[in-house]
């Protein structure tokens, strides 16, 4: 597990971009954290890391549920904010994990038992203190391949 | 009269076939990492190769599941749309029976196996498989009947193994993940059909469709549902929520 503190949206994006460079076909990343804690911001950076065109104009697919982007590999940006697990399964959204792109899901904890055995969990927290843009981001790897990636990621 | 077969139950691949008298034209595809749909181009291609126009089709047979929810929805929607527009019968064919027919035609009947059980396996992820148990009756090679012993099920690989008490042939892409577990679990009881029987083929869909049509059975275009076999725990909880 690695904890990284970012002091601005730009730094959060840069961290995302950093991670994006290491991601591979079939990678699954689960983002958890309250509203406004930086999940979507992180994904913008991650998209840049995957060489997605116009990655910085990514918005949260809270309503549309999924948005697909295509760069060096595909990016599937999911948002389970308005769903519960039964609905996620009805829509077969967990099938994205087994496609050829990178799956990044906001509110990923809602997927519960459908999470693959290996994935990267990224927990976003708003840091206590006077700086409103400060975030505490925890990178929690599940599985060897993500363990190695986390070891390499720096601020 | 030609029959169109559509098979999309397996993630990341599919096939389309036309069965015209005894002639089979098969078009298979695998998804690459782009977002382009491969089903419709395959349909166009198979008609081109068969030198037929859409209107010549007598019926549309489609692989009905279980399998990938997304894949099934796409295939069945396309099949329904064709059936509606061409005003031709729609024939839903259970995917596990497609696999079974494939193995029966080319493997289970020709190999002199002591095995009487035939067990298809499709990976449902997270240790689950889509499966069913079929049994060969009567070892007379002139007339072998295969009977379905269970309905289509979604079980853990452990659960299905515990249901097997006689020699069985396992087949289907679930073997990619679970063959070694089954071997350890069942030892000599387990036989395995080779890789060529891993995936259901649209050519078999069309053949089974023809049989079904001959029996004057067809499906209601507006009512045909994919065979999902949803994870039972999940359906239950979302239903409970609906009922308040």
């Amino acid at each position: 597990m690695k904890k990284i503190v970012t002091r601005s949206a730009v730094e959060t994006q840069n961290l995302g971009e950093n991670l994006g460079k290491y991601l591979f076909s079939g990678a699954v990343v689960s983002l958890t954290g309250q509203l406004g804690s930086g999940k979507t911001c992180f994904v913008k950076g991650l998209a840049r890391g995957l060489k997605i065109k116009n990655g910085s104009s990514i918005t949260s697919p809270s309503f549309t549920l999924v948005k697909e982007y295509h760069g060096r590999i595909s990016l599937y940006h999911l948002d389970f904010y308005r769903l519960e697990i039964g609905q996620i399964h009805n829509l077969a959204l967990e099938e994205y994990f087994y496609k050829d792109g990178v799956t990044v899901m906001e509110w990923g904890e809602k997927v519960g038992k459908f999470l693959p055995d290996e994935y990267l969990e990224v927990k976003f927290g708003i840091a206590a203190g006077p700086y409103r843009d400060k975030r505490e981001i925890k990178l929690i790897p599940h599985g060897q391949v993500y363990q190695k990636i986390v070891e390499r990621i720096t601020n | 009269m030609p029959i169109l077969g559509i098979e999309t139950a397996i993630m990341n691949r599919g096939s389309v076939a036309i069965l015209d008298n005894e002639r089979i034209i098969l078009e298979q595809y695998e998804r690459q990492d782009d977002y382009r749909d491969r089903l419709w181009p395959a349909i166009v291609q198979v008609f081109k190769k068969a030198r037929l126009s859409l209107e010549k089709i007598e019926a549309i047979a489609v692989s009905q599941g279980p399998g990938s929810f997304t894949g099934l929805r796409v295939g069945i929607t396309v099949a329904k749309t064709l059936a509606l527009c061409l005003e031709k019968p729609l024939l839903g064919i259970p995917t596990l029976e497609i696999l079974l027919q494939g193995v029966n035609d080319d493997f289970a009947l020709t190999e002199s196996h002591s095995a009487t059980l035939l067990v298809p396996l499709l990976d449902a992820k997270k240790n689950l498989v889509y499966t069913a148990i079929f049994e060969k009756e009567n070892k007379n090679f002139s007339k072998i009947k295969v009977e379905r012993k269970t309905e289509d099920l979604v079980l853990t690989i452990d659960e299905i193994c515990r249901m097997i008490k006689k020699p069985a042939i396992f087949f289907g892409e679930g073997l990619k993940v679970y063959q070694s577990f089954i071997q350890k679990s069942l030892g000599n009881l387990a036989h395995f059909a080779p890789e060529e029987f891993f995936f259901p083929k649209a050519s078999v869909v069309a053949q089974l469709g023809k049989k079904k049509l001959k029996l004057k059975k067809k499906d209601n275009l507006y009512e045909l549902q994919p065979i999902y076999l949803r994870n039972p725990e999940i359906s239950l909880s979302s239903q409970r929520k609906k009922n308040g």
Side-chain angles (χ1 to χ4, degrees):
Chain A
M1 199 264 273
K2 189 177 274 191
K3 181 161 89 171
I4 294 180
V5 174
T6 59
R7 291 161 302 179
S8 67
V10 172
E11 283 192 14
T12 299
Q13 280 195 42
N14 289 341
L15 181 62
E17 181 173 358
N18 230 327
L19 174 64
K21 293 186 183 144
Y22 288 103
L23 292 177
F24 50 93
S25 173
V28 177
V29 182
S30 169
L31 309 179
T32 66
Q34 65 189 90
L35 285 172
S37 56
K39 302 187 290 299
T40 308
C41 181
F42 185 81
V43 180
K44 288 188 197 186
L46 199 151
R48 266 204 322 262
L50 291 176
K51 303 244 191 298
I52 308 283
K53 273 194 212 150
N54 302 318
S56 24
S57 61
I58 281 181
T59 53
S60 162
S62 305
F63 184 70
T64 53
L65 303 177
V66 195
K67 197 118 206 284
E68 296 189 20
Y69 304 89
H70 305 284
R72 78 175 157 85
I73 45 182
S74 297
L75 169 65
Y76 314 123
H77 184 191
L78 283 70
D79 188 334
F80 298 133
Y81 177 65
R82 63 180 183 90
L83 299 179
E84 42 106 312
I85 192 170
Q87 295 170 306
I88 294 171
H89 186 43
N90 276 347
L91 293 170
L93 293 177
E94 79 276 6
E95 289 191 356
Y96 272 101
F97 304 155
Y98 307 104
K99 290 210 244 203
D100 298 328
V102 173
T103 303
V104 179
M105 45 188 167
E106 301 192 30
W107 301 89
E109 68 271 29
K110 291 201 174 183
V111 176
K113 56 188 286 184
F114 284 117
L115 279 169
D117 295 330
E118 299 202 343
Y119 67 99
L120 175 65
E121 185 183 345
V122 186
K123 263 185 161 152
F124 292 80
I126 298 176
Y131 301 104
R132 280 197 282 162
D133 290 345
K134 201 166 167 194
R135 299 288 182 269
E136 275 180 12
I137 301 174
K138 293 190 188 137
L139 300 164
I140 305 166
H142 299 260
Q144 274 274 38
V145 67
Y146 295 103
Q147 177 73 42
K148 294 207 174 109
I149 291 177
V150 171
E151 280 165 19
R152 292 206 179 97
I153 302 260
T154 50
N155 217 343
Chain B
M1 288 254 269
I3 306 233
L4 177 67
I6 294 175
E7 205 309 307
T8 55
I10 309 296
M11 265 204 88
N12 298 330
R13 60 171 61 226
S15 54
V16 182
I18 292 179
L19 172 65
D20 190 8
N21 293 317
E22 296 308 312
R23 187 171 71 119
I24 293 177
I25 299 101
L26 175 67
E27 189 73 17
Q28 298 177 108
Y29 60 91
E30 273 175 55
R31 225 187 102 104
Q32 269 111 56
D33 185 33
D34 65 25
Y35 48 93
R36 270 185 268 275
D37 167 48
R38 293 250 181 302
L39 175 58
W40 194 256
I43 291 175
V44 171
Q45 191 63 8
V46 85
F47 275 93
K48 226 190 210 170
K49 283 189 184 166
R51 296 176 200 259
L52 284 175
S53 58
L54 278 177
E55 306 81 55
K56 293 280 196 291
I57 288 296
E58 181 184 8
I60 293 114
V62 66
S63 175
Q64 208 182 339
S68 155
F69 287 12
T70 324
L72 289 171
R73 283 168 194 175
V74 171
I76 291 174
T77 303
V78 169
K80 284 188 178 189
T81 310
L82 285 171
L84 179 64
C85 296
L86 300 172
E87 295 180 306
K88 293 286 151 67
L90 177 70
L91 310 156
I93 314 288
T95 305
L96 297 180
E97 289 178 18
I98 300 167
L99 272 177
L100 175 70
Q101 186 69 35
V103 104
N104 234 5
D105 283 343
D106 297 328
F107 185 74
L109 293 186
T110 57
E111 302 281 311
S112 51
H113 269 286
S114 58
T116 51
L117 298 183
L118 297 167
V119 186
L121 292 172
L122 291 179
D123 187 9
K125 309 294 179 194
K126 307 296 289 176
N127 242 30
L128 294 169
V129 285
Y130 295 125
T131 186
I133 300 178
F134 298 87
E135 187 160 14
K136 281 193 282 183
E137 315 268 300
N138 182 3
K139 292 226 190 87
N140 269 340
F141 276 93
S142 50
K143 260 296 150 84
I144 296 194
K145 258 183 58 188
V146 178
E147 280 217 351
R148 184 187 262 278
K149 289 304 189 192
T150 69
E151 48 182 47
D152 288 350
L153 304 162
V154 58
L155 299 172
T156 64
I157 189 62
D158 188 56
E159 283 169 336
I160 183 66
C161 283
R162 280 193 266 124
M163 288 170 72
I164 305 297
K165 307 288 185 206
K166 297 193 258 190
I169 300 176
F170 292 88
F171 52 98
E173 52 90 73
L175 289 186
K176 257 195 257 181
V177 185
Y178 300 112
Q179 179 161 338
S180 46
F181 180 93
I182 299 169
Q183 185 77 86
K184 277 194 207 124
S185 186
L186 295 176
N188 285 337
L189 286 183
H191 303 260
F192 301 101
E195 239 183 271
E196 62 197 88
F197 302 103
F198 271 14
F199 302 106
K201 292 204 182 78
S203 44
V204 180
V205 179
Q207 284 167 334
L208 291 176
K210 187 171 185 176
K211 270 191 201 165
K212 187 165 173 171
L213 194 65
K214 277 203 177 130
L215 297 170
K216 306 264 200 269
K217 292 182 183 175
K218 66 172 187 168
D219 289 293
N220 182 311
L221 153 60
Y222 299 100
E223 289 174 7
L224 182 82
Q225 291 293 317
I227 298 170
Y228 280 140
L229 302 184
R230 272 186 190 76
N231 186 309
E233 281 176 50
I234 301 302
S235 321
L236 208 55
S237 70
S238 57
Q239 256 163 39
R240 264 200 222 115
K241 207 172 185 200
K242 255 195 230 168
N243 297 332

